[in-house]
């Protein structure tokens, strides 16, 4: 009997070690603000004001990233992701008011994937990182934040007339159950589709920008597909 109990204890221990850690995705969003800093034209955003244009709809692009993230990339993680409903339907998460929350005018450009809320992570974001990690510590070994955003980059131009491209960025950041950063990386890729710049001013109507964003995301997804596994390979040891 003692031998049987010992064998069972060893098997239980080995099973415990073989189980993957679990992570809660607590933020999943994009931003309708297009970064123009490479062109030195940040003020031009006020001219086109894509954020106020309902036709400039990034929701399908966010959906595409979401599907790739959960259906493809998650299989390459050395940890499992909690079901999204475990996060989005948790009352404590629903009631949580994040630091640096964007409300009203400040929040009109943010597009959250349905059920998620905008929670800032990064420089000076420790209050949010610790709060969400604590919120899920009984069910998860860590929390993950991810976002995509876009920036106009220079193509080929002569005398202020030429082409521009869109660059899509994805940020993926993981924190342990104490809110300590495990990793955070940014990956970017340029669109194959191009736009135009005339007299130093880019043409940023929604019907020109949206296809470039879609093209940039397609290239970004290809890059992430080949790099995610390498980037997060050893992270389970830090959770």
């Amino acid at each position: 009997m003692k031998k049987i109990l010992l064998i069972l204890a060893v098997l239980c221990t080995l099973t415990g070690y073989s189980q993957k850690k679990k992570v809660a995705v607590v933020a999943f969003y994009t931003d309708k603000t297009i970064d123009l800093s490479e062109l030195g034209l940040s003020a031009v955003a006020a001219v086109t004001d894509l954020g106020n244009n309902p036709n400039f709809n990034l929701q399908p692009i966010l959906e595409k990233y979401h599907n790739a993230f959960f259906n493809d990339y998650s299989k390459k993680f050395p940890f499992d992701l909690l079901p999204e409903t475990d996060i989005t339907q948790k009352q404590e998460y629903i009631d949580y008011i994040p630091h640096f929350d964007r409300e009203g005018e400040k929040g009109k450009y943010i597009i959250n994937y349905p059920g998620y809320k905008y929670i800032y992570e990064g420089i000076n974001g420790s209050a949010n990182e610790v709060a969400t990690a604590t919120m899920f510590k009984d069910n998860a070994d860590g929390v993950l934040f991810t976002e995509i955003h876009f920036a106009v980059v220079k193509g080929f131009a002569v005398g202020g007339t030429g082409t521009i491209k869109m660059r899509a960025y994805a940020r993926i950041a993981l924190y342990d159950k104490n809110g300590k950063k495990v990793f955070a990386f940014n990956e970017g890729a340029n669109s194959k589709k191009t736009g135009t710049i005339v007299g130093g001013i880019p043409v940023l109507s929604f019907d020109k920008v949206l296809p470039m964003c879609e093209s940039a995301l397609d290239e970004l997804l290809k890059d992430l597909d080949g790099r995610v596994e390498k980037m997060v390979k050893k992270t389970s040891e830090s959770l």
Side-chain angles (χ1 to χ4, degrees):
M1 178 63 73
K2 289 183 178 179
K3 288 184 178 179
I4 294 175
L5 292 174
L6 179 61
I7 292 172
L8 289 173
V10 171
L11 288 174
C12 288
T13 301
L14 291 175
T15 300
Y17 280 122
S18 65
Q19 289 179 343
K20 283 185 178 181
K21 299 291 182 69
K22 296 186 182 297
V23 168
V25 178
V26 296
F28 206 109
Y29 68 93
T30 188
D31 191 336
K32 292 177 75 173
T33 303
I34 304 297
D35 182 7
L36 300 172
S37 58
E38 183 171 314
L39 303 180
L41 296 168
S42 296
V44 175
V47 176
T48 55
D49 202 5
L50 291 171
N52 281 331
N53 190 332
N55 293 312
F56 183 54
N57 182 14
L58 292 181
Q59 191 70 52
I61 289 178
L62 184 63
E63 177 80 31
K64 192 170 187 177
Y65 175 57
H66 178 272
N67 290 342
F69 187 91
F70 281 92
N71 296 336
D72 300 325
Y73 307 150
S74 66
K75 296 176 182 177
K76 302 178 181 183
F77 294 155
F79 48 79
D80 290 328
L81 299 179
L82 290 182
E84 290 183 276
T85 51
D86 287 4
I87 292 88
T88 60
Q89 294 181 12
K90 185 179 178 69
Q91 194 61 46
E92 190 176 355
Y93 178 83
I94 294 171
D95 295 340
Y96 179 59
I97 300 176
H99 290 252
F100 306 110
D101 193 16
R102 294 188 182 184
E103 297 180 348
E105 189 70 16
K106 292 191 298 182
K108 68 180 182 180
Y109 296 143
I110 295 294
I111 300 176
N112 294 302
Y113 190 81
Y116 288 96
K117 62 198 316 173
Y118 172 75
I119 304 178
Y120 171 79
E121 162 280 323
I123 299 174
N124 298 322
S126 59
N128 289 333
E129 296 147 12
V130 172
T132 52
T134 302
M135 192 183 303
F136 293 99
K137 67 179 181 180
D138 292 337
N139 306 102
D141 300 285
V143 291
L144 186 147
F145 302 74
T146 187
E147 64 174 284
I148 53 173
H149 56 276
F150 300 91
V152 173
V153 295
K154 297 175 181 177
F156 176 78
V158 177
T161 300
T163 63
I164 53 173
K165 289 189 174 185
M166 189 66 66
R167 187 166 180 83
Y169 293 93
R171 177 174 173 83
I172 303 175
L174 177 67
Y175 294 80
D176 66 16
K177 62 173 55 182
N178 297 310
K180 180 180 178 182
K181 184 165 66 177
V182 177
F183 72 74
F185 66 83
N186 295 280
E187 182 74 4
N190 289 348
S191 62
K192 285 188 174 181
K193 290 190 176 182
T194 61
T196 57
I197 184 168
V198 180
I201 304 297
V203 178
L204 294 178
S205 57
F206 83 90
D207 57 324
K208 302 294 184 184
V209 173
L210 197 55
M212 292 168 63
C213 290
E214 293 169 347
S215 175
L217 181 75
D218 287 343
E219 298 307 309
L220 176 61
L221 295 182
K222 293 175 188 176
D223 286 358
L224 283 172
D225 188 53
R227 298 195 61 188
V228 163
E229 187 173 10
K230 295 178 182 178
M231 290 177 175
V232 302
K233 189 174 183 180
K234 298 181 180 180
T235 59
S236 59
E237 300 172 3
S238 303
L239 285 174

